Amino acid sequence: MSDISTQLIHHPYKPPAGFDAVNPAVQKSSTVIFPTVAALRQRDWKHKTGYTYGLHGTPTTFTLEERIATLEGGQFCTLVPSGLAALALVDMALLRAGDEVLIPDNAYGPNKTFAQHELAGWGVSFRYYDPMQPADLAAKLSGKTRLVWLEAPGSITLEFPDLPALVAVVQAHRDVHPQGIVTALDNTWGAGIAFNAFALGADISVQALTKYPSGGADVLMGSVVTRDEALHHLVHFCHMRVGYGVAGNDAELVLRGLGSMTLRYAAQDSATRTLAAWLQQQPQIEAVLHPALAGSPGHATWQRDCTAAACLLSIVFKAGYPQAQVDRFCDSLQLFRLGYSWAGPMSLCVPYDVPAIRTTPWPFQGGLVRFSIGLEAVADLQADLANALAAMQYS
Ligand SMILES: *Cc1c(COP(=O)(O)O)cnc(C)c1O
């Protein structure tokens, strides 16, 4: 081994063991080295007792998976490259041609789009149900139903559903599909902090780690958590086959975010409630949607099942304001920037055309704007909103 090129790759130095730091080491690799052929043949990655290939886990991703499982009050976690990938993975792991998936009408939009395009093309049918009416879910369950998505609260419109009631409806019909019916919750809003998904009856809890666990608005990742090992294996073997690996440096960013997550959740919760109460008093606004506000849809259920609320709130303008004026309001904001996603340091807003994205009745005529409240001073955010509301009047 005299040539420098060989020495630089096969170097004998090993640093001393025992380096102990606050944050876990970031280990990255596609290839994992085996000492012998026998070891290569025997190594089992399924139970996290060893390493075979970067796609199937590294010490860094295993560490993050264990912490996310703890956050959710679950047992088993699989990481994927985005929150949307987590939704798609659950669909792909569970659904086969001839099955049907039921999705809340107010669900995260791309969950519905995946069903409309990919699932429908694969012979899997889908239907939307009204999550505020457990009887509507009961009416839509059939012998084909294999998977029921849950989301609390609804994306954009923030109605808080009665999760135990929806789960009870599914449990009463569980045997109609030969393999049973699985409930999967998109728990990005609750994040494992506002309520425990498994205590409320979900079989699977999915999160966009992109949001709270990261907290930095600079990384995309998702997780699929279960308590049941057989269900975990269904998801995890599909994960292996579709190749949804996550990068070590991305896992590092989420691991860094986790330590401050409960503090960020609480700070943004408090700021969001302050702004929601203030917005309720503004004359241009017809309704403020936030589960912790009395009068917001599902408020009593939120109060029964949750100990906190996330940083999202939506406002609906009075019917007299045309969309162009609502758009001007959004463009006038200085601190709230226009952009998707939420739970990062910067406050964000996006106007939505709600009737275009739902089939259940929508009681309002005016435009809706959804806000993500960041970590700026609440007084500054309130002044920004006040200025933009005033600017809207004079246009
Ligand atoms: C953002 C979000 C997702 C998707 O997460 P990405 O990491 O952006 O793919 C899924 N569900 C909800 C409720 C979300 O807000």
Side-chain angles (χ1 to χ4, degrees):
M1 213 168 69
S2 57
D3 195 282
I4 186 73
S5 62
T6 305
Q7 285 184 43
L8 286 176
I9 298 167
H10 295 265
H11 199 285
Y13 177 75
K14 295 227 185 297
F19 180 76
D20 205 5
V22 173
N23 278 312
V26 182
Q27 275 161 306
K28 302 182 285 185
S29 202
S30 50
T31 301
V32 174
I33 312 287
F34 299 91
T36 62
V37 172
L40 182 145
R41 291 203 177 116
Q42 277 162 20
R43 192 85 44 98
D44 169 29
W45 55 269
K46 289 174 195 156
H47 300 95
K48 292 193 184 170
T49 51
Y51 306 98
T52 52
Y53 190 56
L55 203 50
H56 306 153
T58 63
T60 308
T61 60
F62 282 4
T63 300
L64 179 54
E65 282 175 347
E66 289 303 307
R67 293 186 187 187
I68 298 296
T70 299
L71 170 68
E72 294 264 25
Q75 287 290 320
F76 307 97
C77 174
T78 301
L79 296 178
V80 291
S82 71
L84 178 54
L87 301 169
L89 178 65
V90 170
D91 283 340
M92 290 190 289
L94 285 161
L95 298 165
R96 296 294 175 261
D99 287 343
E100 186 158 88
V101 55
L102 301 182
I103 304 172
D105 191 46
N106 59 6
Y108 175 68
N111 192 357
K112 296 162 88 173
T113 318
F114 187 79
Q116 283 162 21
H117 294 271
E118 273 64 36
L119 296 181
W122 296 334
V124 173
S125 58
F126 63 91
R127 296 176 82 185
Y128 304 136
Y129 69 92
D130 181 350
M132 302 307 281
Q133 309 286 343
D136 187 52
L137 175 60
K140 285 175 178 158
L141 284 164
S142 76
K144 292 167 62 179
T145 314
R146 171 68 170 133
L147 175 64
V148 175
W149 277 105
L150 307 165
E151 192 172 327
S155 241
I156 320 296
T157 45
L158 303 174
E159 305 93 338
F160 205 92
D162 189 337
L163 292 173
L166 295 172
V167 168
V169 163
V170 173
Q171 270 162 2
H173 293 74
R174 194 147 245 173
D175 296 333
V176 296
H177 190 287
Q179 288 154 287
I181 308 178
V182 172
T183 54
L185 172 74
D186 183 334
N187 197 22
T188 303
W189 184 95
I193 290 177
F195 60 91
N196 181 314
F198 298 102
L200 295 188
D203 299 315
I204 297 178
S205 182
V206 162
Q207 268 197 57
L209 305 181
T210 309
K211 310 287 168 51
Y212 275 110
S214 145
D218 55 1
V219 64
L220 289 151
M221 201 175 292
S223 57
V224 181
V225 175
T226 69
R227 278 187 174 172
D228 181 81
E229 190 167 20
L231 193 53
H232 168 67
H233 281 156
L234 262 181
V235 170
H236 208 64
F237 295 168
C238 180
H239 175 266
M240 176 193 77
R241 292 185 295 262
V242 298
Y244 267 174
V246 303
N249 290 112
D250 288 349
E252 176 194 19
L253 289 176
V254 179
L255 281 162
R256 282 187 72 143
L258 283 183
S260 61
M261 180 181 168
T262 55
L263 297 178
R264 288 184 281 105
Y265 200 99
Q268 292 181 334
D269 181 357
S270 154
T272 305
R273 290 193 214 199
T274 302
L275 293 172
W278 180 81
L279 283 162
Q280 257 186 331
Q281 278 147 32
Q282 307 313 305
Q284 301 90 337
I285 293 169
E286 176 75 30
V288 179
L289 304 172
H290 181 288
L293 283 183
S296 199
H299 168 68
T301 314
W302 171 84
Q303 206 162 33
R304 184 193 68 193
D305 292 340
C306 295
T307 55
C311 62
L312 292 176
L313 77 91
S314 292
I315 58 173
V316 182
F317 281 93
K318 291 209 166 124
Y321 293 94
Q323 187 61 42
Q325 226 169 333
V326 174
D327 292 354
R328 201 141 44 231
F329 162 79
C330 295
D331 282 332
S332 305
L333 290 162
Q334 301 291 310
L335 298 178
F336 285 89
R337 305 301 301 272
L338 288 161
Y340 294 105
S341 203
W342 45 282
M346 184 186 285
S347 292
L348 301 170
C349 76
V350 178
Y352 284 93
D353 177 11
V354 177
I357 54 175
R358 75 199 263 138
T359 56
T360 46
W362 176 242
F364 303 109
Q365 248 117 63
L368 177 146
V369 178
R370 189 190 74 176
F371 298 97
S372 165
I373 308 305
L375 290 165
E376 304 94 335
V378 187
D380 290 340
L381 294 175
Q382 185 176 310
D384 194 29
L385 292 166
N387 285 338
L389 285 170
M392 175 183 180
Q393 295 290 57
Y394 304 121
S395 47

